[in-house]
Coordinates of all heavy atoms in Angstrom, one line a residue:
M209 N -17.7 -8.6 -39.5 CA -17.3 -9.4 -38.4 C -16.2 -8.6 -37.6 O -15.2 -8.1 -38.2 CB -16.7 -10.7 -38.9 CG -16.2 -11.6 -37.8 SD -15.6 -13.2 -38.4 CE -16.9 -14.2 -37.9
E210 N -16.4 -8.6 -36.3 CA -15.4 -7.9 -35.4 C -14.2 -8.8 -35.2 O -14.3 -9.9 -34.9 CB -16.1 -7.6 -34.1 CG -15.3 -6.8 -33.1 CD -16.1 -6.5 -31.9 OE1 -16.5 -7.5 -31.2 OE2 -16.3 -5.3 -31.5
T211 N -13.0 -8.1 -35.3 CA -11.8 -8.8 -35.0 C -11.5 -8.9 -33.5 O -12.1 -8.1 -32.7 CB -10.6 -8.1 -35.7 OG1 -10.4 -6.9 -35.1 CG2 -10.8 -8.0 -37.2
I212 N -10.6 -9.8 -33.1 CA -10.2 -9.8 -31.7 C -9.7 -8.5 -31.2 O -10.1 -8.1 -30.1 CB -9.2 -11.0 -31.5 CG1 -9.8 -12.3 -31.7 CG2 -8.6 -10.9 -30.1 CD1 -8.9 -13.5 -31.7
Q213 N -8.9 -7.8 -32.0 CA -8.3 -6.5 -31.6 C -9.4 -5.5 -31.4 O -9.4 -4.8 -30.4 CB -7.3 -6.1 -32.7 CG -6.7 -4.7 -32.4 CD -5.6 -4.8 -31.3 OE1 -5.0 -5.8 -31.2 NE2 -5.4 -3.8 -30.6
E214 N -10.4 -5.5 -32.3 CA -11.5 -4.5 -32.1 C -12.3 -4.8 -30.9 O -12.7 -3.9 -30.2 CB -12.4 -4.6 -33.4 CG -11.8 -4.0 -34.6 CD -12.6 -4.3 -35.9 OE1 -13.3 -5.2 -35.9 OE2 -12.4 -3.5 -36.8
H215 N -12.5 -6.1 -30.6 CA -13.3 -6.5 -29.4 C -12.5 -6.0 -28.1 O -13.1 -5.5 -27.2 CB -13.5 -8.0 -29.3 CG -14.1 -8.5 -28.1 ND1 -15.5 -8.2 -27.8 CD2 -13.6 -9.1 -27.0 CE1 -15.7 -8.7 -26.6 NE2 -14.6 -9.3 -26.1
E216 N -11.2 -6.3 -28.1 CA -10.4 -5.9 -27.0 C -10.4 -4.4 -26.8 O -10.6 -3.9 -25.7 CB -8.9 -6.3 -27.1 CG -8.7 -7.8 -27.0 CD -7.4 -8.3 -27.4 OE1 -6.5 -7.5 -27.8 OE2 -7.1 -9.5 -27.3
N217 N -10.3 -3.6 -27.9 CA -10.3 -2.1 -27.8 C -11.7 -1.7 -27.3 O -11.8 -0.7 -26.5 CB -10.0 -1.5 -29.1 CG -8.6 -1.7 -29.5 OD1 -7.7 -2.0 -28.7 ND2 -8.3 -1.5 -30.8
A218 N -12.8 -2.3 -27.7 CA -14.1 -1.9 -27.3 C -14.3 -2.1 -25.8 O -14.9 -1.3 -25.1 CB -15.2 -2.7 -28.1
K219 N -13.8 -3.2 -25.3 CA -13.9 -3.5 -23.9 C -13.1 -2.5 -23.1 O -13.5 -2.1 -22.0 CB -13.4 -5.0 -23.6 CG -13.5 -5.4 -22.2 CD -15.0 -5.3 -21.7 CE -15.1 -5.8 -20.2 NZ -16.4 -5.5 -19.6
Q220 N -11.9 -2.2 -23.5 CA -11.1 -1.2 -22.9 C -11.8 0.2 -22.8 O -11.9 0.8 -21.7 CB -9.7 -0.9 -23.6 CG -8.7 -2.0 -23.3 CD -7.4 -1.7 -24.1 OE1 -7.5 -1.2 -25.2 NE2 -6.3 -2.0 -23.5
L221 N -12.4 0.6 -23.9 CA -13.1 1.8 -23.9 C -14.3 1.8 -23.0 O -14.6 2.8 -22.3 CB -13.5 2.2 -25.4 CG -12.4 2.5 -26.3 CD1 -12.9 2.7 -27.7 CD2 -11.7 3.8 -25.8
E222 N -15.0 0.7 -23.0 CA -16.2 0.5 -22.1 C -15.7 0.7 -20.6 O -16.4 1.4 -19.9 CB -16.8 -0.9 -22.3 CG -17.9 -1.2 -21.4 CD -18.4 -2.6 -21.6 OE1 -18.5 -3.1 -22.8 OE2 -18.7 -3.3 -20.6
V223 N -14.6 0.1 -20.2 CA -14.2 0.2 -18.9 C -13.7 1.6 -18.6 O -14.1 2.1 -17.5 CB -13.0 -0.9 -18.6 CG1 -12.3 -0.6 -17.3 CG2 -13.5 -2.3 -18.7
I224 N -12.9 2.2 -19.4 CA -12.4 3.5 -19.1 C -13.5 4.6 -19.1 O -13.5 5.5 -18.3 CB -11.2 3.9 -20.1 CG1 -10.4 5.0 -19.5 CG2 -11.7 4.3 -21.4 CD1 -9.7 4.6 -18.2
H225 N -14.6 4.4 -19.9 CA -15.7 5.3 -19.9 C -16.4 5.2 -18.6 O -16.9 6.2 -18.0 CB -16.7 5.0 -21.1 CG -16.2 5.5 -22.4 ND1 -15.7 6.8 -22.6 CD2 -16.1 4.9 -23.6 CE1 -15.3 7.0 -23.8 NE2 -15.5 5.8 -24.5
A226 N -16.6 4.0 -18.1 CA -17.2 3.8 -16.8 C -16.4 4.5 -15.7 O -17.0 5.1 -14.8 CB -17.4 2.3 -16.5
V227 N -15.1 4.3 -15.7 CA -14.2 5.0 -14.7 C -14.4 6.5 -14.8 O -14.5 7.2 -13.8 CB -12.8 4.5 -14.9 CG1 -11.9 5.3 -13.9 CG2 -12.6 3.0 -14.6
R228 N -14.3 7.0 -16.0 CA -14.5 8.5 -16.2 C -15.8 9.0 -15.7 O -15.9 10.1 -15.1 CB -14.3 8.8 -17.7 CG -12.9 9.0 -18.1 CD -12.8 9.6 -19.5 NE -11.5 9.7 -20.0 CZ -11.1 9.2 -21.1 NH1 -11.9 8.6 -21.9 NH2 -9.8 9.2 -21.5
N229 N -16.9 8.2 -16.0 CA -18.2 8.7 -15.6 C -18.3 8.6 -14.0 O -19.0 9.5 -13.4 CB -19.3 7.8 -16.2 CG -19.5 8.1 -17.6 OD1 -19.1 9.2 -18.1 ND2 -20.0 7.1 -18.4
Y230 N -17.6 7.7 -13.4 CA -17.7 7.6 -12.0 C -16.8 8.7 -11.3 O -17.3 9.4 -10.4 CB -17.1 6.2 -11.5 CG -17.0 6.0 -10.0 CD1 -18.2 5.8 -9.3 CD2 -15.8 6.1 -9.4 CE1 -18.1 5.7 -7.9 CE2 -15.7 6.0 -8.0 CZ -16.8 5.8 -7.3 OH -16.7 5.7 -5.9
N231 N -15.6 8.9 -11.8 CA -14.7 9.9 -11.2 C -13.6 10.1 -12.2 O -12.7 9.3 -12.3 CB -14.1 9.4 -9.9 CG -13.2 10.4 -9.2 OD1 -12.8 11.3 -9.9 ND2 -13.0 10.2 -8.0
P232 N -13.7 11.3 -12.9 CA -12.7 11.6 -14.0 C -11.2 11.6 -13.4 O -10.3 11.2 -14.1 CB -13.1 13.0 -14.4 CG -14.5 13.1 -14.1 CD -14.7 12.3 -12.9
E233 N -11.1 11.9 -12.1 CA -9.7 11.9 -11.6 C -9.1 10.5 -11.5 O -7.9 10.3 -11.7 CB -9.7 12.5 -10.2 CG -10.0 14.0 -10.2 CD -8.9 14.8 -11.0 OE1 -7.7 14.5 -10.8 OE2 -9.4 15.6 -11.8
L234 N -9.9 9.5 -11.3 CA -9.4 8.1 -11.3 C -8.9 7.7 -12.7 O -8.0 6.9 -12.8 CB -10.5 7.1 -10.8 CG -11.0 7.2 -9.4 CD1 -12.0 6.1 -9.1 CD2 -9.8 7.0 -8.4
A235 N -9.6 8.2 -13.7 CA -9.2 7.8 -15.1 C -7.8 8.3 -15.4 O -7.1 7.7 -16.2 CB -10.2 8.4 -16.1
H236 N -7.3 9.4 -14.7 CA -6.0 9.9 -15.0 C -4.9 8.9 -14.5 O -3.8 9.0 -15.0 CB -5.8 11.3 -14.2 CG -6.6 12.4 -14.8 ND1 -6.5 12.8 -16.1 CD2 -7.6 13.1 -14.2 CE1 -7.3 13.8 -16.3 NE2 -8.0 14.0 -15.2
S237 N -5.3 8.0 -13.7 CA -4.3 7.0 -13.2 C -4.3 5.7 -14.0 O -3.6 4.8 -13.7 CB -4.6 6.7 -11.7 OG -4.4 7.9 -10.9
C238 N -5.2 5.7 -15.0 CA -5.4 4.4 -15.8 C -4.6 4.5 -17.1 O -4.4 5.6 -17.7 CB -6.8 4.2 -16.1 SG -7.9 4.0 -14.7
Y239 N -4.1 3.4 -17.5 CA -3.4 3.3 -18.8 C -3.5 1.8 -19.3 O -3.7 0.9 -18.5 CB -1.9 3.7 -18.7 CG -1.1 3.0 -17.6 CD1 -0.4 1.8 -17.9 CD2 -1.1 3.4 -16.3 CE1 0.4 1.2 -17.0 CE2 -0.4 2.7 -15.3 CZ 0.4 1.6 -15.7 OH 1.1 1.0 -14.7
A240 N -3.4 1.7 -20.6 CA -3.5 0.4 -21.2 C -2.2 -0.2 -21.3 O -1.2 0.4 -21.7 CB -4.2 0.5 -22.6
V241 N -2.1 -1.5 -21.0 CA -0.9 -2.3 -21.2 C -1.3 -3.5 -22.0 O -2.0 -4.4 -21.5 CB -0.3 -2.8 -19.9 CG1 1.0 -3.7 -20.1 CG2 0.1 -1.6 -19.0
G242 N -1.0 -3.5 -23.3 CA -1.6 -4.5 -24.2 C -3.1 -4.3 -24.2 O -3.6 -3.3 -24.4
A243 N -3.8 -5.4 -24.0 CA -5.3 -5.4 -24.0 C -5.9 -5.1 -22.6 O -7.1 -5.0 -22.4 CB -5.8 -6.7 -24.5
W244 N -5.0 -5.0 -21.6 CA -5.4 -4.8 -20.2 C -5.4 -3.3 -19.9 O -4.7 -2.5 -20.5 CB -4.5 -5.5 -19.2 CG -4.5 -7.0 -19.3 CD1 -4.6 -7.8 -20.3 CD2 -4.5 -7.9 -18.1 NE1 -4.6 -9.1 -20.0 CE2 -4.5 -9.2 -18.6 CE3 -4.4 -7.6 -16.8 CZ2 -4.5 -10.3 -17.7 CZ3 -4.4 -8.7 -15.9 CH2 -4.5 -10.0 -16.4
I245 N -6.2 -3.0 -18.8 CA -6.1 -1.6 -18.2 C -5.5 -1.8 -16.9 O -5.9 -2.6 -16.1 CB -7.5 -1.0 -18.2 CG1 -8.0 -0.7 -19.6 CG2 -7.4 0.4 -17.4 CD1 -9.4 -0.1 -19.6
W246 N -4.5 -1.0 -16.6 CA -3.8 -0.9 -15.3 C -4.1 0.4 -14.7 O -4.3 1.4 -15.4 CB -2.3 -1.1 -15.4 CG -1.9 -2.4 -15.8 CD1 -2.6 -3.4 -16.4 CD2 -0.6 -3.0 -15.6 NE1 -1.8 -4.5 -16.6 CE2 -0.5 -4.3 -16.1 CE3 0.6 -2.5 -15.0 CZ2 0.6 -5.1 -16.1 CZ3 1.7 -3.3 -15.0 CH2 1.7 -4.6 -15.5
A247 N -4.2 0.5 -13.4 CA -4.4 1.8 -12.7 C -3.5 1.8 -11.4 O -3.4 0.9 -10.6 CB -5.9 1.9 -12.2
E248 N -2.7 2.9 -11.4 CA -1.8 3.1 -10.3 C -2.2 4.4 -9.6 O -2.3 5.5 -10.3 CB -0.3 3.3 -10.8 CG 0.3 2.0 -11.3 CD 1.7 2.2 -11.6 OE1 2.5 2.2 -10.7 OE2 2.0 2.3 -12.8
F249 N -2.4 4.4 -8.3 CA -2.9 5.5 -7.6 C -1.8 5.9 -6.5 O -1.3 5.1 -5.8 CB -4.2 5.2 -6.9 CG -5.3 4.8 -7.9 CD1 -5.7 3.5 -8.0 CD2 -6.0 5.8 -8.6 CE1 -6.6 3.1 -8.9 CE2 -6.9 5.4 -9.5 CZ -7.3 4.0 -9.7
Q250 N -1.6 7.2 -6.5 CA -0.6 7.8 -5.5 C -1.3 7.9 -4.1 O -0.7 7.7 -3.1 CB -0.1 9.1 -5.9 CG 0.6 9.1 -7.2 CD 1.8 8.2 -7.3 OE1 2.6 8.1 -6.3 NE2 1.9 7.4 -8.3
Q251 N -2.6 8.1 -4.1 CA -3.3 8.3 -2.9 C -4.1 7.0 -2.5 O -4.3 6.1 -3.4 CB -4.4 9.4 -3.0 CG -5.6 9.1 -3.9 CD -5.4 9.1 -5.4 OE1 -4.3 9.3 -5.9 NE2 -6.5 8.9 -6.1
R252 N -4.4 6.8 -1.3 CA -5.1 5.7 -0.8 C -6.6 5.8 -1.3 O -7.2 6.9 -1.1 CB -5.1 5.6 0.7 CG -5.7 4.3 1.2 CD -5.5 4.2 2.7 NE -6.1 3.0 3.2 CZ -5.5 1.8 3.3 NH1 -4.2 1.7 2.8 NH2 -6.1 0.8 3.8
L253 N -7.2 4.8 -1.8 CA -8.5 4.8 -2.3 C -9.5 4.6 -1.2 O -9.2 3.9 -0.2 CB -8.7 3.8 -3.4 CG -7.9 3.9 -4.7 CD1 -8.2 2.7 -5.6 CD2 -8.1 5.2 -5.4
S254 N -10.7 5.3 -1.3 CA -11.7 5.0 -0.4 C -12.3 3.7 -0.6 O -12.2 3.1 -1.7 CB -12.8 6.1 -0.5 OG -13.5 5.9 -1.7
Q255 N -13.0 3.2 0.4 CA -13.7 1.9 0.2 C -14.7 1.9 -0.9 O -14.8 0.9 -1.7 CB -14.4 1.4 1.5 CG -14.9 0.0 1.5 CD -13.9 -1.0 1.1 OE1 -12.8 -1.0 1.7 NE2 -14.1 -1.9 0.2
E256 N -15.4 3.0 -1.1 CA -16.3 3.2 -2.2 C -15.6 3.1 -3.5 O -16.1 2.4 -4.5 CB -17.0 4.5 -2.1 CG -18.0 4.8 -3.1 CD -18.7 6.2 -3.0 OE1 -19.4 6.3 -2.0 OE2 -18.4 7.0 -3.8
E257 N -14.4 3.7 -3.7 CA -13.7 3.6 -4.9 C -13.2 2.2 -5.2 O -13.2 1.7 -6.3 CB -12.5 4.6 -4.9 CG -12.9 6.1 -4.9 CD -11.8 7.0 -4.6 OE1 -10.9 6.7 -3.8 OE2 -11.9 8.2 -5.1
V258 N -12.7 1.5 -4.1 CA -12.3 0.1 -4.3 C -13.4 -0.7 -4.7 O -13.3 -1.6 -5.7 CB -11.6 -0.4 -3.0 CG1 -11.4 -1.9 -3.0 CG2 -10.3 0.3 -2.7
T259 N -14.6 -0.6 -4.1 CA -15.7 -1.3 -4.5 C -16.1 -1.1 -6.0 O -16.4 -2.0 -6.7 CB -16.9 -1.0 -3.6 OG1 -16.6 -1.3 -2.2 CG2 -18.2 -1.7 -4.0
F260 N -16.1 0.2 -6.4 CA -16.4 0.5 -7.8 C -15.4 -0.2 -8.7 O -15.8 -0.8 -9.7 CB -16.3 2.0 -8.0 CG -16.3 2.4 -9.5 CD1 -17.5 2.3 -10.2 CD2 -15.2 2.7 -10.2 CE1 -17.6 2.6 -11.5 CE2 -15.2 3.0 -11.5 CZ -16.4 2.9 -12.2
L261 N -14.1 -0.1 -8.4 CA -13.1 -0.8 -9.3 C -13.4 -2.3 -9.4 O -13.3 -2.9 -10.5 CB -11.7 -0.5 -8.8 CG -11.2 0.9 -8.9 CD1 -9.8 1.0 -8.3 CD2 -11.1 1.3 -10.4
K262 N -13.6 -2.9 -8.3 CA -13.9 -4.3 -8.3 C -15.2 -4.6 -9.1 O -15.2 -5.6 -9.9 CB -14.1 -4.9 -6.9 CG -12.8 -4.9 -6.1 CD -13.0 -5.5 -4.7 CE -11.7 -5.6 -3.9 NZ -11.9 -6.1 -2.6
E263 N -16.2 -3.8 -9.0 CA -17.4 -4.0 -9.8 C -17.1 -3.9 -11.3 O -17.8 -4.5 -12.1 CB -18.5 -3.0 -9.4 CG -19.1 -3.2 -8.1 CD -20.0 -2.1 -7.6 OE1 -20.0 -1.0 -8.2 OE2 -20.6 -2.3 -6.6
Q264 N -16.1 -3.1 -11.7 CA -15.7 -2.9 -13.1 C -14.8 -4.0 -13.6 O -14.4 -4.0 -14.7 CB -15.1 -1.6 -13.3 CG -16.0 -0.4 -13.0 CD -17.3 -0.5 -13.8 OE1 -17.4 -0.7 -15.0 NE2 -18.4 -0.4 -13.0
G265 N -14.4 -4.9 -12.7 CA -13.5 -6.0 -13.1 C -12.1 -5.9 -12.8 O -11.2 -6.7 -13.2
F266 N -11.7 -4.8 -12.0 CA -10.3 -4.6 -11.6 C -10.0 -5.6 -10.4 O -10.9 -5.8 -9.6 CB -10.1 -3.2 -11.2 CG -10.0 -2.2 -12.3 CD1 -11.1 -1.6 -12.8 CD2 -8.7 -1.9 -12.8 CE1 -11.0 -0.7 -13.9 CE2 -8.6 -1.0 -13.9 CZ -9.7 -0.4 -14.4
R267 N -8.8 -6.0 -10.4 CA -8.3 -6.8 -9.3 C -6.9 -6.3 -8.9 O -6.1 -5.8 -9.7 CB -8.1 -8.3 -9.7 CG -9.4 -9.0 -10.1 CD -10.3 -9.1 -8.9 NE -11.6 -9.6 -9.3 CZ -12.7 -8.9 -9.3 NH1 -12.7 -7.6 -9.0 NH2 -13.9 -9.4 -9.6
W268 N -6.6 -6.3 -7.6 CA -5.4 -5.8 -7.1 C -4.3 -6.8 -7.4 O -4.4 -8.0 -7.1 CB -5.5 -5.5 -5.6 CG -4.2 -5.1 -5.0 CD1 -3.5 -5.8 -4.0 CD2 -3.5 -3.9 -5.2 NE1 -2.3 -5.1 -3.7 CE2 -2.3 -3.9 -4.4 CE3 -3.7 -2.8 -6.0 CZ2 -1.4 -2.9 -4.3 CZ3 -2.8 -1.7 -6.0 CH2 -1.6 -1.8 -5.1
N269 N -3.2 -6.4 -7.9 CA -2.0 -7.2 -8.1 C -0.9 -6.8 -7.1 O -0.3 -5.7 -7.3 CB -1.5 -7.0 -9.6 CG -0.3 -8.0 -9.8 OD1 0.6 -8.2 -9.0 ND2 -0.2 -8.5 -11.1
P270 N -0.8 -7.6 -6.1 CA 0.2 -7.2 -5.0 C 1.6 -7.2 -5.4 O 2.5 -6.5 -4.8 CB -0.1 -8.2 -3.9 CG -0.7 -9.4 -4.6 CD -1.4 -8.8 -5.8
V271 N 2.0 -8.0 -6.4 CA 3.3 -8.0 -6.9 C 3.7 -6.8 -7.7 O 4.8 -6.2 -7.4 CB 3.6 -9.3 -7.8 CG1 4.9 -9.3 -8.4 CG2 3.3 -10.6 -7.0
R272 N 2.9 -6.3 -8.6 CA 3.1 -5.1 -9.4 C 2.6 -3.9 -8.7 O 2.9 -2.8 -9.1 CB 2.5 -5.3 -10.8 CG 3.2 -6.4 -11.5 CD 2.9 -6.4 -13.0 NE 3.7 -7.4 -13.6 CZ 3.2 -8.6 -14.0 NH1 2.0 -9.0 -13.7 NH2 4.0 -9.5 -14.5
R273 N 1.8 -4.0 -7.6 CA 1.2 -3.0 -6.9 C 0.4 -2.0 -7.7 O 0.5 -0.8 -7.7 CB 2.3 -2.2 -6.1 CG 3.1 -3.1 -5.2 CD 3.9 -2.4 -4.2 NE 3.3 -1.5 -3.3 CZ 2.4 -1.7 -2.3 NH1 2.2 -3.0 -2.0 NH2 1.9 -0.8 -1.6
V274 N -0.5 -2.6 -8.6 CA -1.4 -1.9 -9.4 C -2.8 -2.6 -9.5 O -2.8 -3.8 -9.2 CB -0.9 -1.8 -10.9 CG1 0.4 -1.0 -11.0 CG2 -0.7 -3.1 -11.6
W275 N -3.8 -1.9 -9.8 CA -5.1 -2.5 -10.1 C -5.1 -2.8 -11.5 O -4.6 -2.1 -12.4 CB -6.2 -1.5 -9.8 CG -6.4 -1.3 -8.3 CD1 -5.8 -0.3 -7.5 CD2 -7.3 -2.0 -7.5 NE1 -6.3 -0.5 -6.2 CE2 -7.2 -1.5 -6.2 CE3 -8.2 -3.1 -7.7 CZ2 -7.9 -2.0 -5.1 CZ3 -8.9 -3.6 -6.6 CH2 -8.8 -3.1 -5.4
Q276 N -5.6 -4.0 -11.9 CA -5.5 -4.5 -13.3 C -6.9 -5.0 -13.7 O -7.6 -5.7 -12.9 CB -4.5 -5.6 -13.4 CG -3.1 -5.2 -13.1 CD -2.2 -6.4 -13.2 OE1 -2.4 -7.4 -12.6 NE2 -1.1 -6.2 -14.0
N277 N -7.3 -4.7 -14.9 CA -8.5 -5.2 -15.5 C -8.1 -5.9 -16.8 O -7.6 -5.3 -17.7 CB -9.5 -4.1 -15.8 CG -10.8 -4.6 -16.2 OD1 -10.9 -5.5 -17.0 ND2 -11.9 -3.9 -15.8
A278 N -8.4 -7.2 -16.9 CA -8.0 -8.0 -18.0 C -8.9 -7.7 -19.3 O -8.6 -8.1 -20.4 CB -8.1 -9.5 -17.7
C279 N -10.0 -7.0 -19.1 CA -10.9 -6.6 -20.2 C -11.3 -7.8 -21.0 O -11.4 -7.8 -22.2 CB -10.2 -5.6 -21.1 SG -9.9 -4.0 -20.3
G280 N -11.5 -8.9 -20.3 CA -12.0 -10.1 -20.9 C -11.0 -11.0 -21.6 O -11.3 -12.0 -22.2
V281 N -9.7 -10.6 -21.6 CA -8.7 -11.3 -22.2 C -8.1 -12.3 -21.3 O -7.7 -12.0 -20.2 CB -7.5 -10.4 -22.7 CG1 -6.4 -11.1 -23.3 CG2 -8.1 -9.4 -23.7
K282 N -8.0 -13.6 -21.6 CA -7.5 -14.6 -20.8 C -6.0 -14.8 -21.2 O -5.7 -15.1 -22.4 CB -8.2 -16.0 -21.0 CG -9.7 -15.8 -20.8 CD -10.0 -15.6 -19.3 CE -11.5 -15.6 -19.1 NZ -11.9 -15.0 -17.9
T283 N -5.1 -14.7 -20.2 CA -3.7 -14.9 -20.5 C -3.1 -15.6 -19.3 O -3.7 -15.6 -18.2 CB -3.0 -13.6 -20.7 OG1 -3.1 -12.8 -19.5 CG2 -3.5 -12.8 -21.9
R284 N -1.9 -16.2 -19.5 CA -1.2 -16.8 -18.4 C -0.4 -15.7 -17.7 O -0.2 -14.7 -18.2 CB -0.2 -17.8 -19.0 CG -0.9 -19.0 -19.6 CD 0.2 -20.0 -20.0 NE -0.4 -21.2 -20.6 CZ 0.2 -22.3 -20.8 NH1 1.4 -22.4 -20.5 NH2 -0.5 -23.3 -21.3
R285 N 0.0 -16.1 -16.5 CA 0.7 -15.1 -15.7 C 2.1 -14.8 -16.4 O 2.7 -15.7 -16.9 CB 1.0 -15.8 -14.3 CG 1.7 -14.8 -13.4 CD 1.9 -15.5 -12.1 NE 2.4 -14.5 -11.2 CZ 2.3 -14.6 -9.9 NH1 1.8 -15.6 -9.3 NH2 2.8 -13.6 -9.1
S286 N 2.4 -13.6 -16.5 CA 3.6 -13.2 -17.1 C 4.8 -13.2 -16.2 O 4.7 -12.7 -15.1 CB 3.5 -11.7 -17.7 OG 4.6 -11.3 -18.3
A287 N 5.9 -13.8 -16.6 CA 7.1 -13.9 -15.8 C 7.8 -12.5 -15.7 O 8.3 -12.1 -14.7 CB 8.1 -14.9 -16.3
G288 N 7.8 -11.8 -16.8 CA 8.4 -10.5 -16.9 C 7.4 -9.4 -16.7 O 6.2 -9.6 -16.4
D289 N 7.8 -8.2 -16.9 CA 6.9 -7.0 -16.8 C 6.3 -6.7 -18.1 O 7.0 -6.4 -19.1 CB 7.8 -5.8 -16.3 CG 6.9 -4.6 -16.0 OD1 5.7 -4.6 -16.4 OD2 7.4 -3.7 -15.3
P290 N 5.0 -6.9 -18.2 CA 4.3 -6.7 -19.5 C 4.5 -5.2 -20.0 O 4.3 -5.0 -21.2 CB 2.8 -6.9 -19.2 CG 2.8 -7.8 -18.0 CD 4.1 -7.4 -17.2
R291 N 4.8 -4.3 -19.2 CA 5.0 -2.9 -19.6 C 6.2 -2.8 -20.5 O 6.3 -1.9 -21.3 CB 5.1 -2.0 -18.4 CG 3.8 -1.8 -17.7 CD 4.0 -1.0 -16.4 NE 4.6 -1.9 -15.4 CZ 4.5 -1.7 -14.1 NH1 3.9 -0.6 -13.7 NH2 5.1 -2.6 -13.3
K292 N 7.1 -3.8 -20.5 CA 8.3 -3.8 -21.3 C 8.0 -4.5 -22.6 O 8.7 -4.4 -23.6 CB 9.4 -4.5 -20.6 CG 9.9 -3.7 -19.4 CD 11.0 -4.4 -18.7 CE 11.5 -3.5 -17.5 NZ 12.5 -4.2 -16.7
K293 N 6.9 -5.3 -22.7 CA 6.6 -6.0 -23.9 C 5.5 -5.3 -24.8 O 5.6 -5.4 -26.0 CB 6.0 -7.4 -23.5 CG 5.7 -8.3 -24.6 CD 5.2 -9.7 -24.2 CE 4.9 -10.6 -25.3 NZ 4.4 -11.9 -24.9
Y294 N 4.5 -4.7 -24.1 CA 3.4 -4.1 -24.8 C 3.5 -2.6 -24.8 O 4.0 -2.0 -23.9 CB 2.1 -4.6 -24.2 CG 1.9 -6.1 -24.3 CD1 2.1 -6.8 -23.1 CD2 1.5 -6.7 -25.4 CE1 1.9 -8.2 -23.2 CE2 1.3 -8.1 -25.5 CZ 1.5 -8.8 -24.4 OH 1.3 -10.2 -24.4
Q295 N 2.8 -2.0 -25.8 CA 2.7 -0.6 -25.9 C 1.8 -0.1 -24.7 O 0.8 -0.7 -24.3 CB 2.0 -0.2 -27.2 CG 1.8 1.3 -27.4 CD 1.1 1.6 -28.7 OE1 0.6 0.8 -29.4 NE2 1.1 2.9 -29.0
I296 N 2.2 1.0 -24.1 CA 1.4 1.6 -23.0 C 0.7 2.8 -23.6 O 1.3 3.7 -24.2 CB 2.4 2.0 -21.9 CG1 3.0 0.8 -21.3 CG2 1.6 2.8 -20.8 CD1 4.1 1.1 -20.3
I297 N -0.6 2.9 -23.3 CA -1.4 4.0 -23.8 C -2.1 4.7 -22.6 O -2.8 4.0 -21.8 CB -2.5 3.5 -24.8 CG1 -1.8 2.9 -26.0 CG2 -3.4 4.7 -25.2 CD1 -2.8 2.1 -26.9
S298 N -1.9 6.0 -22.5 CA -2.5 6.7 -21.4 C -3.9 7.1 -21.7 O -4.3 7.3 -22.9 CB -1.7 8.0 -21.2 OG -2.3 8.9 -20.3
F299 N -4.8 7.2 -20.7 CA -6.2 7.6 -20.9 C -6.4 9.0 -20.3 O -7.5 9.3 -19.9 CB -7.1 6.6 -20.2 CG -7.2 5.3 -20.9 CD1 -6.6 4.2 -20.3 CD2 -7.7 5.1 -22.2 CE1 -6.6 3.0 -20.9 CE2 -7.8 3.9 -22.8 CZ -7.2 2.8 -22.2
E300 N -5.4 9.8 -20.1 CA -5.5 11.1 -19.4 C -6.4 12.1 -20.2 O -7.0 12.9 -19.5 CB -4.1 11.7 -19.2 CG -3.4 11.0 -18.1 CD -2.2 11.7 -17.7 OE1 -2.2 12.9 -17.6 OE2 -1.2 11.1 -17.4
N301 N -6.5 12.0 -21.5 CA -7.3 13.0 -22.2 C -8.7 12.7 -22.2 O -9.2 11.7 -22.1 CB -6.8 13.1 -23.7 CG -5.3 13.6 -23.7 OD1 -4.9 14.4 -22.9 ND2 -4.6 13.1 -24.7

């Protein structure tokens, strides 16, 4: 039986593999915050790239100024910065 943690990790890997297959450079801007994947880009994304991110489940967070994918995890809005609460894992490799 798959645990919740294993399911969350599998969904993260599924999303990051899709991003890498689409454009490996985009994956360099992605990192895990808890069970979510966040993406911060220095450059302006093309409309095609934005469309791709949305198709993968990413949503723009105007407060934190990052693209976020909940990876199927339902949570309430966080009052603080989740980066201070959860481990951050880079997907650069």
